[in-house]
Amino acid sequence: MTETGAAVVLLSGGLDSMVVAGLVRERGHRLFALTIDYNQRHRIELDAAARVAAALGAERHVVLSIDLTQFGGSALTADIAVPKDGVQPGIPVTYVPARNTIFLSLALGWAEAVGARDLFVGINALDYSGYPDCRPEFVDAFEAMANVATKAGVEGDRFHVHAPLLALGKADIAREADRLGLDAGMSWSCYDPTADGRHCGACDSCRLRSKGFADAGLPDPTRYAGSPA
């Protein structure tokens, strides 16, 4: 039986997933937060996910460990340099093979187990780095798969995959964080943290984050490399 109002949110600890979790709370869902520890280069984001889950009053926060360095194939899971030359066309080396498919599959399994039928993910198709699993086609395809691959789905208790930031740019997302009263400083975006725990300021994710706050006309609470303590 579906638990009314329960929703599973993929919570990475980034700005986007924080805003999605805030929207889920605003809509009155019971928040089940799922964070994947995939042995990523920027594992500092796991601490951010814990902060966000606590601040938003998640009913449960599960941190699930899978070691994608065993597969490699990405600057986030292998000994490959993170690009620092600005956002370039094409799919960058920070793409983790099939990451959102893997993560949403895990979220789907937990959702079916706890009786949730709403899955939320913080992908967006405008200000992103060219990842194929951040497009509307992916969301639609995964939802269709979820409803033929599960007991709940084939019995008519359908799953819905929500990507409320899909058509938003980073400035819009920064404004949503502000509207929701969220402390954006809790979140983490950088792919290549400095030794003292700051955002590098030069990777694609840092550049998009910084530009988003600037374009939104909002103060950026992020501690970048070289910025005052």
Side-chain angles (χ1 to χ4, degrees):
M1 179 180 294
T2 302
E3 293 190 13
T4 303
V8 172
V9 180
L10 279 172
L11 184 66
S12 68
L15 178 65
D16 296 354
S17 70
M18 180 185 74
V19 168
V20 168
L23 290 170
V24 167
R25 183 183 66 173
E26 182 181 58
R27 295 176 187 182
H29 290 283
R30 296 167 55 209
L31 175 58
F32 290 77
L34 177 62
T35 299
I36 310 299
D37 175 1
Y38 58 103
N39 207 11
Q40 59 269 49
R41 176 191 295 263
H42 55 311
R43 295 183 78 248
I44 192 171
E45 71 176 356
L46 301 174
D47 296 331
R51 290 193 296 270
V52 172
L56 291 176
E59 185 163 327
R60 286 192 64 195
H61 179 210
V62 169
V63 180
L64 195 63
S65 297
I66 56 173
D67 186 5
L68 292 186
T69 64
Q70 296 294 315
F71 295 169
S74 167
L76 303 188
T77 57
D79 189 16
I80 301 170
V82 173
K84 302 289 182 73
D85 298 325
V87 180
Q88 303 294 323
I91 300 173
V93 296
T94 51
Y95 163 71
V96 178
R99 180 174 62 180
N100 285 337
T101 305
I102 295 167
F103 289 5
L104 273 171
S105 295
L106 295 168
L108 175 64
W110 190 27
E112 186 167 33
V114 300
R117 296 297 176 262
D118 292 288
L119 281 67
F120 285 80
V121 60
I123 60 178
N124 61 8
L126 294 182
D127 283 349
Y128 77 118
S129 296
Y131 302 137
D133 51 1
C134 289
R135 299 174 299 151
E137 300 94 322
F138 167 73
V139 176
D140 292 343
F142 190 92
E143 182 175 294
M145 182 278 297
N147 285 302
V148 297
T150 57
K151 178 178 183 291
V154 299
E155 291 180 349
D157 193 8
R158 295 182 61 81
F159 290 93
H160 301 280
V161 181
H162 307 272
L165 311 185
L166 196 61
L168 302 186
K170 269 292 189 284
D172 301 314
I173 295 168
R175 292 188 190 101
E176 274 293 270
D178 184 63
R179 183 188 68 79
L180 291 164
L182 301 174
D183 175 9
M186 290 191 300
S187 66
W188 184 271
S189 298
C190 181
Y191 292 148
D192 194 22
T194 64
D196 63 349
R198 296 172 185 247
H199 285 62
C200 75
C203 69
D204 287 3
S205 190
C206 279
R207 291 172 185 266
L208 290 170
R209 180 183 175 104
S210 176
K211 185 176 184 296
F213 282 107
D215 289 350
L218 293 170
D220 185 350
T222 313
R223 295 171 64 246
Y224 296 104
S227 64

